[in-house]
Amino acid sequence: MHRRNLLRTSTRLLVAAVSALSVTALAAGGASGQPGQVAGPAPVPRLELERYLGTWRQLAAIPQYFNLACARDTQANYALDPQGNIAVRNTCSTWANTQNEINGTAVVNDRETGAQLHVSFPSVPTQDALDGPTNYIVTALGPDYSWAVVTDPSRASGFVLARAVSLEADAWQQVRAAITAAGQNTCLYLTSPTTGGESRIVPLCAG
């Protein structure tokens, strides 16, 4: 029953988040007078790829259709592949207590900062091309690479990644400030349950 309640809660929060995201996008377009021509989030000045590789835990995210099956312990592992691109391995525990995994590739599109990439997954329609437009922007990083905020040019997605299963209060304050600086609403981000960390699914603006 507990997992069913969590699933119902996450579904309600997803609907609210998607609705709010649509309103935010429309408002942003109206503010400029030219819908769809809003400047995208800025990448970090320089991403040191070797420091960025490894395992990241998802601590919060704007809900996406492809991760609705994930109940907890959502992780991303990045490693260099033989072609010099980034091998992506995303995993999570599902609501049925099974392991979910998908593998893909990230290609750096921005050689100046190294922080704008195209991520593809061969098994996902419309996302199976190795090369393509940027859909992954590292817009903020902890100074010690202990956390990162990732989004895309349209701001429709957002992920708070961390090396550990939790962050201290001052780090969360920096994360929320980075989300706002990227032109996003912290209320659209929902916490991602992690073993040993946060167990709830709540908007970041409630924390």
Side-chain angles (χ1 to χ4, degrees), residues 10-98:
S10 64
T11 302
R12 287 196 299 268
L13 288 170
L14 171 63
V15 172
V18 171
S19 298
L21 181 60
S22 300
V23 172
T24 300
L26 288 171
S32 67
Q34 298 181 7
Q37 296 188 18
V38 181
V44 294
R46 184 65 188 169
L47 178 70
E48 296 180 36
L49 183 57
E50 288 191 0
R51 297 182 67 188
Y52 194 73
L53 298 176
T55 299
W56 291 92
R57 294 170 171 83
Q58 179 181 297
L59 301 191
I62 297 176
Q64 305 292 317
Y65 73 91
F66 52 77
N67 61 15
L68 285 178
C70 294
R72 65 184 184 285
D73 297 328
T74 301
Q75 298 184 12
N77 184 274
Y78 304 131
L80 286 180
D81 67 15
Q83 289 71 43
N85 296 318
I86 303 165
V88 178
R89 178 174 175 265
N90 292 342
T91 62
C92 73
S93 294
T94 70
W95 298 97
N97 284 323
T98 59

Side-chain angles (χ1 to χ4, degrees), residues 117-204:
L117 306 94
H118 172 75
V119 181
S120 60
F121 297 97
S123 59
V124 179
T126 75
Q127 296 185 36
D128 54 356
L130 184 63
D131 297 308
T134 293
N135 58 10
Y136 184 110
I137 300 173
V138 181
T139 191
L141 272 172
D144 55 355
Y145 281 58
S146 60
W147 59 264
V149 176
V150 176
T151 183
D152 68 87
S154 69
R155 299 181 176 85
S157 66
F159 306 90
V160 176
L161 307 178
R163 298 298 190 180
V165 297
S166 61
L167 290 175
E168 299 292 336
D170 60 337
W172 272 119
Q173 185 174 359
Q174 295 174 59
V175 166
R176 292 185 179 93
I179 290 171
T180 301
Q184 293 182 301
N185 185 340
T186 57
C187 292
L188 299 181
Y189 281 74
L190 305 183
T191 55
S192 303
T194 56
T195 301
E198 178 63 77
S199 61
R200 304 170 302 160
I201 303 174
V202 294
L204 276 191

Side-chain angles (χ1 to χ4, degrees), residues 1-12 95:
M1 286 296 293
H2 181 60
R3 283 198 295 272
R4 290 176 182 171
N5 289 336
L6 276 176
L7 180 57
R8 283 196 294 267
T9 299
S10 64
T11 302
R12 287 196 299 268
W95 298 97

